Amino acid sequence: IRDEESSYNKNLFCIPKHYEEDLERVFIPHGLILDRTERLARDIMQDMGNHHIVALCVLKGGYKFFADLLDHIKALNQNGDKSVPVTVDFVRIKSYC
């Protein structure tokens, strides 16, 4: 993200004390991330049709997003018109560096 991109003043958010000094501004609010995650879950359910979903989480950084995405998929699976099987697995990958 370039410096000239728009951002939000950090005073508009509840920032944990241990991050206050390290944070200058907020580029993407948490609520927007949650909304886009829910939309991604809807798109996945629509695109997959009635096919089995295999969800693979890359550990060391991706777990929280993965858990949120699966929560939305689970809710759509339970409350939607259709229900598809979902298999979950995890992989840990080392950096090439």
Side-chain angles (χ1 to χ4, degrees):
I1 299 175
R2 297 180 303 227
D3 287 338
E4 61 267 18
E5 295 293 326
S6 62
S7 62
Y8 299 88
N9 186 315
K10 72 177 184 179
N11 295 329
L12 297 172
F13 301 92
C14 296
I15 307 294
K17 290 234 181 258
H18 58 278
Y19 289 129
E20 282 181 349
E21 295 300 319
D22 298 322
L23 189 65
E24 290 181 23
R25 54 191 168 187
V26 175
F27 285 103
I28 305 172
H30 186 251
L32 180 59
I33 294 171
L34 291 178
D35 182 72
R36 295 299 299 143
T37 304
E38 181 178 0
R39 180 56 197 222
L40 180 59
R42 288 182 185 193
D43 291 346
I44 289 170
M45 290 294 289
Q46 182 178 358
D47 291 348
M48 292 302 293
N50 291 323
H51 292 92
H52 184 137
I53 296 173
V54 178
L56 181 65
C57 177
V58 178
L59 293 175
K60 293 291 185 181
Y63 176 74
K64 178 63 175 143
F65 167 75
F66 184 77
D68 290 344
L69 180 62
L70 284 182
D71 285 345
H72 290 300
I73 289 173
K74 181 180 176 183
L76 291 169
N77 233 351
Q78 291 175 346
N79 302 323
D81 299 337
K82 60 184 177 182
S83 180
V84 297
V86 178
T87 301
V88 177
D89 209 347
F90 299 87
V91 63
R92 186 173 178 186
I93 299 174
K94 284 189 174 185
S95 173
Y96 290 114
C97 298

